[in-house]
Amino acid sequence: MNDPRESTEELGEVVEDLRRHLLWQEETGGRVLLVDAAKQAAERSASLRAMMPPRGAKSPPAAEAPAAPAPTASATPDPRPTPRPESAPTRSSAPPAAPSAAPAPRAPPAETPARAPAARPAAEASSERLIDVPQQAPPYPGPLPGVVEGERPTLDQIRRELGDCRRCKLCTGRKNIVFGVGNPRAELVFVGEGPGEQEDLQGVPFVGPAGELLTKMIQAMGFSRDQVYICNVVKCRPPGNRNPEPDEIAACEPFLRAQLLALQPKVIVALGKFAAQTLLRDPTPITRLRGNWREYQGVKLMPTFHPAYLLRSPQEKKKAWEDLQQVMKIFGKQPGSRS
Ligand code: URA
């Protein structure tokens, strides 16, 4: 006999997965289409009703239930930080934010500006049906910065292309762009989320408390920081270590992809959900992604927990270590070896 509590838990997980999937779709523009579909259904039912004789004073049929209001072009953008698609571990080493600093709960659809995929004109999106909703954005939506078609860029070229970047709002609060550090011929690359305070001050990734832990993890794997390459999804510090927002990730991600193209490592370790979900275009929570080999553009990718999360949840270190041991195997390293 099934334990009813287990079934309830499983059902809860399914519902949570669905919720996250919808949120992800929403952030990748899918919600526009979902809402459009709802709007179209409502419009169809309204015009049908207009053509039909009244059916008495009965309660309206299901089709007349209010549909989700469609976003309009004049909807006022919600200036509050947008929470990420799932609440699983993030990098912030700060304790859980006080209510006033916490991201506001997601606004209901009518108040939230629809974020259509950048390359898709609004008119095109609005004519699409649910069946056309793209589940995943293409991995290379456009030319990579600093990359000449068919050529492998160098990190220097990409850094030059980045310049004194003003492509997103993070530029206003940053002290330094944190491009990346390490061996340009590294076979092992670690990708984090975004610079924290120390990183912003020094212009070097992972030099704060989470960085200290990452350095220990790298050493425990039998590498030194100089042997590997370390970078982040976003290159400028999000104010107060908040999560990077979708537009910020979108602005910076091409540079990360260009870096990985330049490096062509053997293995990428994605630290935390932002790195893993961004590179994989997969909204699965990091708790599920971690520990399972994936592929990024032909390169083996291991998602694992972010060191800042491990600082907050040390009981999870064992799992992260298991993930890293899988990576070590690829390099023929044994725990304790330093070569
Ligand atoms: N957290 C990150 O994700 N990156 C850093 O560089 C530092 C902390």
Side-chain angles (χ1 to χ4, degrees):
M1 281 277 278
N2 277 349
D3 180 345
R5 273 171 312 184
E6 271 179 24
S7 310
T8 313
E9 269 168 29
E10 273 172 24
L11 184 63
E13 273 183 25
V14 170
V15 170
E16 179 62 7
D17 269 0
L18 184 62
R19 187 183 70 81
R20 284 175 178 152
H21 181 75
L22 288 172
L23 284 173
W24 176 263
Q25 279 206 347
E26 176 179 310
E27 292 200 345
T28 54
R31 188 176 65 83
V32 183
L33 311 181
L34 287 167
V35 172
D36 278 348
K39 187 187 172 201
Q40 283 163 11
E43 281 167 355
R44 271 197 305 276
S45 93
S47 57
L48 271 179
R49 263 183 284 132
M51 287 190 293
M52 300 237 284
R55 280 199 281 166
K58 290 225 172 101
S59 57
E64 293 180 24
T72 62
S74 62
T76 313
D78 183 350
R80 294 170 297 181
T82 308
R84 299 294 303 165
E86 46 99 8
S87 57
T90 68
R91 82 191 160 100
S92 170
S93 56
S100 63
R106 178 174 293 285
E111 291 168 27
T112 313
R115 214 175 63 82
R120 177 189 304 245
E124 188 198 330
S126 67
S127 67
E128 288 203 55
R129 293 290 158 83
L130 197 51
I131 196 163
D132 298 322
V133 173
Q135 296 299 305
Q136 294 186 358
Y140 284 92
L144 295 177
V147 177
V148 179
E149 182 87 30
E151 276 181 26
R152 181 176 174 181
T154 66
L155 291 171
D156 285 346
Q157 280 168 340
I158 301 162
R159 181 63 191 89
R160 271 197 299 278
E161 182 74 26
L162 186 61
D164 183 31
C165 186
R166 307 261 148 212
R167 291 169 183 82
C168 85
K169 56 189 178 303
L170 291 182
C171 69
T172 57
R174 70 156 186 251
K175 297 209 166 42
N176 283 295
I177 292 179
V178 181
F179 181 69
V181 71
N183 183 349
R185 284 188 286 279
E187 292 195 311
L188 178 56
V189 172
F190 292 83
V191 180
E193 179 181 322
E197 187 182 16
Q198 280 307 313
E199 291 78 14
D200 181 45
L201 286 172
Q202 299 181 39
V204 181
F206 282 102
V207 288
E212 277 176 27
L213 178 56
L214 178 63
T215 304
K216 283 185 193 148
M217 287 157 63
I218 291 170
Q219 289 168 348
M221 291 173 75
F223 293 89
S224 68
R225 265 180 79 113
D226 299 342
Q227 289 174 315
V228 304
Y229 192 85
I230 307 172
C231 57
N232 284 306
V233 173
V234 295
K235 314 293 187 216
C236 298
R237 182 188 182 203
N241 287 359
R242 67 154 167 76
N243 289 341
E245 293 175 359
D247 59 316
E248 296 155 2
I249 294 175
C252 224
E253 186 192 347
F255 291 92
L256 170 62
R257 285 189 278 110
Q259 283 174 299
L260 294 172
L261 189 63
L263 289 160
Q264 297 190 7
K266 200 169 182 181
V267 176
I268 299 166
V269 176
L271 300 165
K273 71 171 181 176
F274 287 95
Q277 293 180 346
T278 301
L279 289 174
L280 296 173
R281 292 274 196 268
D282 185 339
T284 305
I286 188 67
T287 44
R288 298 254 187 91
L289 287 173
R290 63 145 284 274
N292 298 302
W293 282 113
R294 299 289 295 264
E295 227 181 65
Y296 169 81
Q297 299 290 308
V299 179
K300 288 169 89 61
L301 183 148
M302 175 57 71
T304 193
F305 289 134
H306 192 285
Y309 170 70
L310 296 175
L311 288 176
R312 296 195 302 270
S313 309
Q315 74 281 4
E316 301 284 46
K317 283 184 183 171
K318 186 168 168 286
K319 290 181 192 157
W321 180 233
E322 282 164 13
D323 305 343
L324 298 180
Q325 280 178 305
Q326 293 199 60
V327 174
M328 290 165 65
K329 272 198 198 134
I330 302 289
F331 292 98
K333 304 253 187 202
Q334 303 290 330
S337 72
R338 286 281 185 274
S339 55

